[in-house]
Amino acid sequence: MHNSIALIRKDFILTRKFALLLIPYFVLMLYSNAQAYTVFSLLPALLLLINACTIDMQHNNQKFLATLPVPRQQLIQAKYMTIIPLSLFSLICTLIMYWIAVTLGKLDDPLRWRELGLITAVIPLLASFYLPLYYWLGQKGMQFVNVVFMMVIMLSFTTFGSLNKEFPALAQWVQNGKIENMLLLVIGVLAYLIIIYASYLISSRIYMHKDI
Amino acid sequence: MSTVIELNHVTKSYDRFELKDISLPIKEGYITGLIGPNGAGKTSMIKMIMGLISQDQGDIRVFGQNNHHEQAAIRGRIGYVSDESFYYENVTVKQMKNIIAPFYPGWDNDTYLRFQEQFKLSPGKRIKDLSKGMKIKFSLAVALSHGADLLIMDEPTSGLDPIFRREMLELLSEHIQDEKKSILFSTHNTTDLDRIADYIVFINEGRIIFNEMKESLSERYLLVKGGKELLDRDVRQWFVGLRENGLGFEGLISNRAEGERYFRDTAICETPTLEEIMYYTVKGDEAHA
């Protein structure tokens, strides 16, 4: 656990400067489309994850990681665990943005916390598609994966708008918190967890015996 | 005498290169120099020991433990210095140290600060702004600051100025004074090993040519310089490598006693340097041709 925390800390040290670039992003979003504030939590966490992964892959840095007294399995675990503080960071930034928007009079509706929570929960799901590709393609394919993944994130922005039509039960829960079909919810949560775990297993399988 | 690293029938194949059935013990408490020409397999061997690449066959044990099953425990006791920097380029020396230190329970910050001072490493300087030599100094400071029992160094002296090179060799000699520390040191620069190595492992085209005490090499090999009239078909066979020109010949014999008996009175007999042993062994056939 100590090593995982040290690895997560390392990611935060490395992405610290990049995180500052998110300030103009939030300012821009605040002025251009404050109403859609819930969706804005998606981008910072995923951008920071991509940035941390990219830095880890450049300049023989994989060699540095692989020579640390940490099992490779733990390197992967830590990368998946990094998603949690990154998601929380995104969430906190969005909440601050919401508070500023309310203070400035740009927003007057109550916080859509269920919608915000749901979108924040999507971050680990998207990362679950990114990380196995990252470990598989390595330095050579990383640029390609990053570009494709950025497009996926942008698409996600628009997809969330149409989610209400596709999944009315979900839209109802977001609006009033009512759950009509408990079974569907359980299946959804299970599928969510299985995807993340399967992604972790695939990444482990790829990276455990990879020559660095 | 116990071994710190043991390779048993290790094989690794690439498209155009293969490490073939390598069996090699590295003794504890000594400096072992790994020599060989470019592409001989030195770096691949070191990478396998470090667990950076997996062998196709065979077994590698470090401190008596399997290097794949006990990765973390083994690496915690190794200080690794590579000729190519693998640290994060955009962080400062201090930040990089702060990233590394928490992973090593035996990290000694006072020792690190002492080396930082000694090597004139500026804590606020970015890794990318350090020269190659300074990057190696930083690697060395890190490797020596966590109480490593084994230093594995891949071409550490390349890119270093002669003054620091000597300083570093002295440091390494000091490091193994307690006889429990060991060093595996790969280099092209055989004069470094002439100064400090106890054992020499010579690798060429993916095969171990020898693994011997440095002193025993001078008892085994003989460099002979003489006139061409001394060479006939049978005599030529004694040479590991032979170079002929208009004036005469120069060649390396691997049976010193026999060579001295035959050439003592007719040719110049000298103890070869490591470089000469390496040169004639690698180029032997070409020299014959």
Side-chain angles (χ1 to χ4, degrees), chain A residues 18 43 46-58 129-131 133-135 137-154:
Chain A
F18 188 79
L43 196 67
L46 291 169
L47 279 183
L48 288 172
L49 179 72
I50 291 173
N51 186 243
C53 288
T54 306
I55 294 170
D56 270 351
M57 202 56 88
Q58 291 170 333
F129 291 100
Y130 174 74
L131 286 173
L133 286 170
Y134 160 75
Y135 284 113
L137 294 171
Q139 193 167 6
K140 286 176 189 164
M142 198 177 58
Q143 294 301 334
F144 173 73
V145 177
N146 287 352
V147 170
V148 170
F149 198 65
M150 285 302 297
M151 286 165 70
V152 170
I153 297 170
M154 296 304 171

Side-chain angles (χ1 to χ4, degrees), chain B residues 245-289:
Chain B
N245 57 33
L247 298 169
F249 77 91
E250 183 178 299
L252 186 77
I253 290 177
S254 61
N255 186 338
R256 187 176 182 117
E258 195 174 346
E260 276 182 335
R261 221 174 10 252
Y262 185 80
F263 290 110
R264 190 172 44 207
D265 301 323
T266 52
I268 301 167
C269 297
E270 291 174 354
T271 299
T273 61
L274 276 175
E275 190 175 311
E276 284 162 340
I277 294 173
M278 194 162 101
Y279 172 79
Y280 280 106
T281 309
V282 173
K283 295 287 177 187
D285 292 337
E286 289 174 37
H288 271 296

Side-chain angles (χ1 to χ4, degrees), chain A residues 1 19 32 62-63 66 151:
Chain A
M1 194 62 184
S32 61
Q62 281 297 311
K63 202 169 158 186
M151 286 165 70

Side-chain angles (χ1 to χ4, degrees), chain B residues 53-264:
Chain B
I53 57 176
S54 306
Q55 66 269 27
D56 299 334
Q57 284 170 19
D59 161 63
I60 299 173
R61 304 187 82 76
V62 184
F63 304 117
Q65 296 172 301
N66 184 294
N67 79 327
H68 275 284
H69 300 153
E70 303 294 336
Q71 289 172 354
I74 289 170
R75 286 195 211 120
R77 296 174 65 189
I78 295 178
Y80 179 59
V81 179
S82 171
D83 69 325
E84 48 181 22
S85 170
F86 49 67
Y87 296 118
Y88 295 106
E89 295 272 301
N90 284 314
V91 296
T92 62
V93 167
K94 188 179 178 185
Q95 284 173 327
M96 195 65 230
K97 187 271 290 180
N98 288 338
I99 287 174
I100 297 166
F103 293 101
Y104 294 94
W107 182 268
D108 183 343
N109 211 43
D110 291 338
T111 306
Y112 172 78
L113 292 174
R114 188 162 51 81
F115 284 120
Q116 184 181 277
E117 183 80 21
Q118 186 180 340
F119 298 163
K120 296 183 174 60
L121 285 163
S122 168
K125 208 163 186 180
R126 284 179 194 280
I127 299 287
K128 70 175 175 188
D129 296 329
L130 298 178
S131 65
K132 193 179 177 189
M134 291 305 276
K135 283 177 183 170
I136 288 177
K137 285 181 185 182
F138 176 66
S139 292
L140 192 61
V142 168
L144 294 172
S145 299
H146 64 82
D149 293 319
L150 168 65
L151 284 185
I152 295 183
M153 312 175 87
D154 190 6
E155 301 281 352
T157 52
S158 62
L160 294 182
D161 61 77
I163 297 161
F164 180 69
R165 217 160 75 197
R166 271 194 178 232
E167 210 179 309
M168 191 183 97
L169 297 178
E170 278 166 25
L171 259 174
L172 297 182
S173 297
E174 279 171 30
H175 181 73
I176 59 151
Q177 287 307 309
D178 75 356
E179 296 181 0
K180 280 285 167 196
K181 311 266 188 202
S182 316
I183 297 172
L184 176 64
F185 185 121
S186 105
T187 184
H188 288 112
N189 194 332
T190 50
T191 51
D192 293 341
L193 298 180
D194 273 325
R195 283 200 188 104
I196 60 159
D198 302 300
Y199 281 85
I200 303 290
V201 175
F202 182 17
I203 182 168
N204 188 32
E205 292 180 348
R207 289 178 191 277
I208 301 289
I209 307 298
F210 59 72
N211 173 21
E212 289 192 32
M213 280 202 88
K214 193 177 69 189
E215 279 70 31
S216 71
L217 290 174
S218 55
E219 291 163 14
R220 182 174 153 191
Y221 286 99
L222 182 72
L223 188 73
V224 184
K225 296 171 186 173
K228 276 184 174 179
E229 69 281 359
L230 295 171
L231 300 173
D232 60 27
R233 187 183 290 175
D234 292 336
V235 171
R236 282 173 192 273
Q237 297 305 314
W238 298 349
F239 286 89
V240 173
L242 188 63
R243 198 178 64 184
E244 292 178 61
N245 57 33
L247 298 169
F249 77 91
E250 183 178 299
L252 186 77
I253 290 177
S254 61
N255 186 338
R256 187 176 182 117
E258 195 174 346
E260 276 182 335
R261 221 174 10 252
Y262 185 80
F263 290 110
R264 190 172 44 207

